[in-house]
């Protein structure tokens, strides 16, 4: 899934790195796939619903600062 993210206070690549290290969720910066991916991240949906639900909850907590 391509997710458009805008209004970050940090570059997308830094956001992706911090999310991986701090929340344990690996997204890819859209620019990995070319200029068309600028301002986006990619989330691989090829997993179980339970793991996807867990990843989305971790992203939510990371982005809202709630643990």
């Amino acid at each position: 899934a391509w997710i458009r993210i805008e209004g970050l206070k940090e570059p997308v690549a830094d956001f992706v790195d911090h999310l991986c290290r701090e929340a344990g969720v690996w997204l890819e910066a859209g620019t990995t796939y070319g200029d068309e991916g600028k301002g986006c991240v990619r989330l691989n949906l090829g997993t179980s619903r339970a793991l996807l639900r867990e990843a989305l909850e971790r992203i939510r907590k990371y982005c809202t600062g709630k643990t």
Side-chain angles (χ1 to χ4, degrees):
W2 288 92
I3 304 167
R4 177 159 294 287
I5 55 174
E6 297 173 339
L8 291 179
K9 296 178 182 177
E10 61 186 336
V12 173
D14 291 346
F15 170 77
V16 168
D17 182 56
H18 295 153
L19 186 68
C20 184
R21 286 187 290 112
E22 297 174 28
V25 178
W26 181 23
L27 300 177
E28 293 183 276
T31 52
T32 300
Y33 301 93
D35 290 339
E36 300 84 6
K38 187 175 181 181
C40 295
V41 293
R42 182 176 177 271
L43 172 63
N44 187 334
L45 301 178
T47 188
S48 69
R49 286 185 181 182
L51 285 176
L52 181 58
R53 197 174 290 120
E54 175 69 23
L56 292 173
E57 181 62 17
R58 288 181 186 196
I59 293 169
R60 183 194 66 79
K61 287 179 179 179
Y62 175 82
C63 290
T64 61
K66 298 178 183 176
T67 57

